[in-house]
């Protein structure tokens, strides 16, 4: 797990919001993120802006567009949503085409996908830059 937070572009002092936590989430990944930011992640009740969102999502979690729009609520401009989905072949796998379809509807661009643990992969989603 060393370097996972770095691969996600996280740095000490960042505020990371975790959404969609459940019994199947990867605790080693969660610890790696908290070690990288040198703080605990905040939840959906945080009520302030966050630098990044970790959104755990499974195929049966509902409408992905709604989940992504909700994840944008507290995200600071220029921040990232890391959509964590079960890897192919695991229970709850989200089809890559579903992510590619949902992201632009939610106003997001898909940039990279990385394997972040044995059972989970992460897809980085960002809001397109708007002219100042």
């Amino acid at each position: 797990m060393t370097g996972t937070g770095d691969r996600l572009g996280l740095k000490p002092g960042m505020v990371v919001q975790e959404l969609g936590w459940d019994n199947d989430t990867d605790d080693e990944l969660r610890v790696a993120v908290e070690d990288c930011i040198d703080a605990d992640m905040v939840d959906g009740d945080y009520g302030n802006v966050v630098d990044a969102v970790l959104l755990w999502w499974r195929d049966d979690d509902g409408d992905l567009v709604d989940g992504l729009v909700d994840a944008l609520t507290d995200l600071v401009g220029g921040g990232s949503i890391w959509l964590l989905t079960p890897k192919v072949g695991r229970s709850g796998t989200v089809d890559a085409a579903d992510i590619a379809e949902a992201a632009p509807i939610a106003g997001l661009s898909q940039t990279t996908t990385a394997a972040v643990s044995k059972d989970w992969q992460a897809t980085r989603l960002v809001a397109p830059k708007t002219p100042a």
Side-chain angles (χ1 to χ4, degrees):
M1 277 300 144
T2 306
T4 299
D6 295 329
R7 282 205 316 265
L8 298 179
L10 304 176
K11 305 199 175 338
M14 289 180 98
V15 178
V16 177
Q17 185 176 52
E18 180 183 37
L19 303 173
W21 180 93
D22 206 341
N23 294 333
D24 63 347
T25 56
D26 188 307
D27 284 333
E28 281 186 42
L29 174 58
R30 297 178 75 243
V31 168
V33 167
E34 291 182 337
D35 285 350
C36 183
I37 62 173
D38 197 26
D40 292 338
M41 288 186 280
V42 299
D43 64 17
D45 297 328
Y46 181 61
N48 207 336
V49 295
V50 298
D51 300 301
V53 175
L54 257 59
L55 175 60
W56 300 94
W57 197 267
R58 302 133 198 98
D59 188 44
D60 60 359
D61 280 348
D63 185 67
L64 181 55
V65 174
D66 289 345
L68 293 172
V69 170
D70 289 347
L72 283 167
T73 302
D74 297 328
L75 190 64
V76 71
S80 306
I81 294 174
W82 283 99
L83 179 65
L84 299 165
T85 56
K87 287 183 176 176
V88 173
R90 308 296 198 279
S91 174
T93 298
V94 177
D95 192 293
D98 292 342
I99 298 170
E101 182 180 305
I105 295 170
L108 296 163
S109 297
Q110 184 175 335
T111 60
T112 57
T113 299
V116 289
S117 76
K118 182 170 68 82
D119 295 319
W120 293 86
Q121 64 187 11
T123 303
R124 183 172 183 254
L125 304 169
V126 296
K129 300 223 182 322
T130 53

